[in-house]
């Protein structure tokens, strides 16, 4: 399973909070509340994702992997390039790729894509924000680039994904 029962419960709680916030249409700050709730949710979800795949025991590899994932949690919406994370950690992209894959079972780029995609999916499902605004929030250079990225990772365009989820 992708999520542990505890993580699944956290996702369900988040979706309940989003639905409740959306239903209060007279609140002029609800879009900002939703944006902040989504960011907070993903910081929390990062713990569950990391807990689920992190090896037990403290090794150099596991410390590097933990540090990498923490950096991704904090920066995925502004940095999707592995070089940024490698430079931040004082390591080479190739070394991080090797260590993270060996330690977590996922490549470094898979971790980055996972955070970006989960945030995009949450926004597509839980907000009425335009796809263009979501692309902007996730720091994509254009709507077209976001659409291609999302389609490559998820297998559906953002529009098709949102339409499928609304039906």
């Amino acid at each position: 399973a992708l999520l542990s029962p505890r993580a699944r419960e956290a996702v369900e709680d988040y979706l309940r909070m989003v639905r409740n916030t959306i239903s209060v249409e007279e609140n002029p700050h609800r879009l900002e509340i939703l944006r902040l709730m989504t960011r907070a949710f993903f910081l929390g979800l990062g713990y569950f994702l990391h807990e689920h795949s992190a090896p037990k025991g403290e090794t150099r590899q596991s410390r590097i992997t933990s540090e990498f994932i923490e950096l991704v949690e904090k920066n995925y919406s502004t940095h999707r390039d592995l070089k940024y994370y490698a430079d931040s950690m004082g390591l080479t992209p190739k070394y991080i790729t090797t260590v993270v894959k060996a330690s977590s079972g996922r490549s470094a780029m898979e971790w980055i894509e996972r955070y970006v995609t989960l945030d995009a999916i949450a926004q597509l499902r839980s907000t009425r924000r335009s796809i263009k605004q979501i692309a902007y929030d996730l720091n994509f250079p254009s709507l077209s680039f976001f659409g291609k990225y999302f389609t490559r990772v998820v297998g559906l365009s953002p529009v098709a994904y949102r339409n499928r989820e609304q039906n």
Side-chain angles (χ1 to χ4, degrees):
L2 178 63
L3 297 175
S4 68
R6 222 169 124 199
R8 193 179 347 260
E9 184 179 329
V11 170
E12 290 168 0
D13 289 344
Y14 162 75
L15 291 174
R16 256 190 301 283
M17 287 185 347
V18 165
R19 282 189 210 103
N20 289 340
T21 302
I22 289 172
S23 70
V24 184
E25 293 182 22
E26 62 275 10
N27 185 341
H29 305 289
R30 72 184 176 147
L31 288 178
E32 182 65 11
I33 292 167
L34 289 169
R35 189 182 69 72
L36 293 171
M37 277 186 351
T38 299
R39 295 281 184 225
F41 170 74
F42 278 100
L43 287 175
L45 183 62
Y47 166 79
F48 289 108
L49 294 173
H50 185 256
E51 176 186 68
H52 182 69
S53 66
K56 307 301 179 216
E58 187 71 5
T59 65
R60 176 165 162 71
Q61 283 189 338
S62 66
R63 282 192 306 275
I64 289 170
T65 300
S66 292
E67 183 181 345
F68 170 75
I69 292 171
E70 285 175 24
L71 277 171
V72 172
E73 286 175 13
K74 293 175 186 168
N75 298 289
Y76 71 88
S77 66
T78 53
H79 296 284
R80 284 183 300 282
D81 58 311
L82 187 54
K83 184 169 177 9
Y84 168 83
Y85 297 100
D87 290 347
S88 296
M89 296 173 68
L91 302 169
T92 67
K94 184 175 181 176
Y95 184 71
I96 287 181
T97 297
T98 303
V99 168
V100 170
K101 179 74 172 179
S103 182
S104 73
R106 288 192 180 95
S107 74
M109 286 308 298
E110 285 175 317
W111 278 105
I112 296 167
E113 286 179 350
R114 187 174 192 164
Y115 274 89
V116 171
T117 305
L118 286 172
D119 192 346
I121 285 171
Q123 289 190 58
L124 287 167
R125 283 178 142 180
S126 63
T127 70
R128 292 190 177 129
R129 303 183 87 205
S130 71
I131 294 171
K132 183 177 182 177
Q133 187 61 46
I134 293 169
Y136 175 80
D137 288 349
L138 292 173
N139 204 33
F140 281 88
S142 70
L143 180 58
S144 173
F145 190 82
F146 172 67
K148 289 175 186 172
Y149 182 92
F150 190 88
T151 301
R152 179 179 57 79
V153 176
V154 177
L156 290 171
S157 72
V159 172
Y161 183 86
R162 181 174 263 173
N163 289 339
R164 186 187 78 181
E165 290 301 309
Q166 290 175 347
N167 293 332

